[in-house]
Amino acid sequence: MPVAAHSGSLEEELEEIRAATAKYTNPEIAYEDDWAALDNSTDPPTEIALDDVVATAEFVCGQGFHLFNLELVGTADPTTSPVLAYGVHDGTLVLGALDYVVPREGEFATSPPNFFEYDDGAEQWHPVELPFGEVWALHAWVHYPNPDGVFVDGNPQKPFHNHPDCEM
């Protein structure tokens, strides 16, 4: 499952992913390409309009708002993440991380995949229960730096904590 061929460094792998997803720094393009914030209080979850994300979507402290493309869950291509994590700066959504989501089944029932060939074991996959089942999840902070590490679950920087429910 590693990223496409390159000469051999984690930074090159991350740069390839950053370039492949750069257009999603504009959340309007993410919505056009079938990502959306979801209201999980409905069954099935319903899409939250882009203009309403900041006011009504769930904000996860350290991660921000999540836009989902459920068709990409379980994809083996790290350049096409099923979840985009956005923080907020001056009322504007700011892309921070790509979230990889792999169902906890089959070969990944008890241990997560390894997406990055040159990460020296730095990937920090964690189990998560989502409305559609148990998954392994991994954040890759490729669009907004995370001083704690590229694969750390939460980002301590303000765009990912500037919500009334988050402690600074």
Side-chain angles (χ1 to χ4, degrees):
M1 282 198 222
V3 178
H6 40 74
S7 64
S9 76
L10 178 59
E11 190 50 46
E12 287 175 317
E13 288 180 296
L14 297 174
E15 183 52 42
E16 182 178 349
I17 292 164
R18 191 176 298 111
T21 57
K23 66 182 179 178
Y24 300 123
T25 57
N26 180 342
E28 290 177 6
I29 294 173
Y31 262 72
E32 289 170 6
D33 285 355
D34 298 324
W35 275 268
L38 299 176
D39 180 350
N40 291 320
S41 69
T42 61
D43 189 19
T46 55
E47 184 177 310
I48 297 171
L50 178 57
D51 291 341
D52 296 331
V53 169
V54 173
T56 63
E58 177 185 6
F59 187 94
V60 178
C61 296
Q63 299 174 8
F65 297 105
H66 292 83
L67 303 187
F68 294 84
N69 183 330
L70 299 179
E71 297 296 317
L72 297 176
V73 170
T75 183
D77 180 0
T79 64
T80 56
S81 167
V83 183
L84 305 172
Y86 289 84
V88 179
H89 179 72
D90 292 334
T92 301
L93 291 174
V94 178
L95 180 59
L98 307 178
D99 293 2
Y100 300 100
V101 178
V102 176
R104 292 186 67 187
E105 58 189 33
E107 68 178 300
F108 304 118
T110 58
S111 61
N114 182 32
F115 268 20
F116 297 90
E117 187 173 355
Y118 298 99
D119 71 343
D120 292 327
E123 292 178 36
Q124 295 185 21
W125 290 89
H126 55 279
V128 176
E129 179 70 38
L130 294 176
F132 51 85
E134 287 187 38
V135 300
W136 291 106
L138 171 71
H139 285 76
W141 294 92
V142 297
H143 288 283
Y144 202 98
N146 184 343
D148 294 337
V150 71
F151 298 119
V152 173
D153 193 38
N155 190 326
Q157 297 202 63
K158 189 173 181 178
F160 305 96
H161 277 280
N162 62 351
H163 190 273
D165 295 338
C166 302
E167 294 181 27
M168 291 295 290

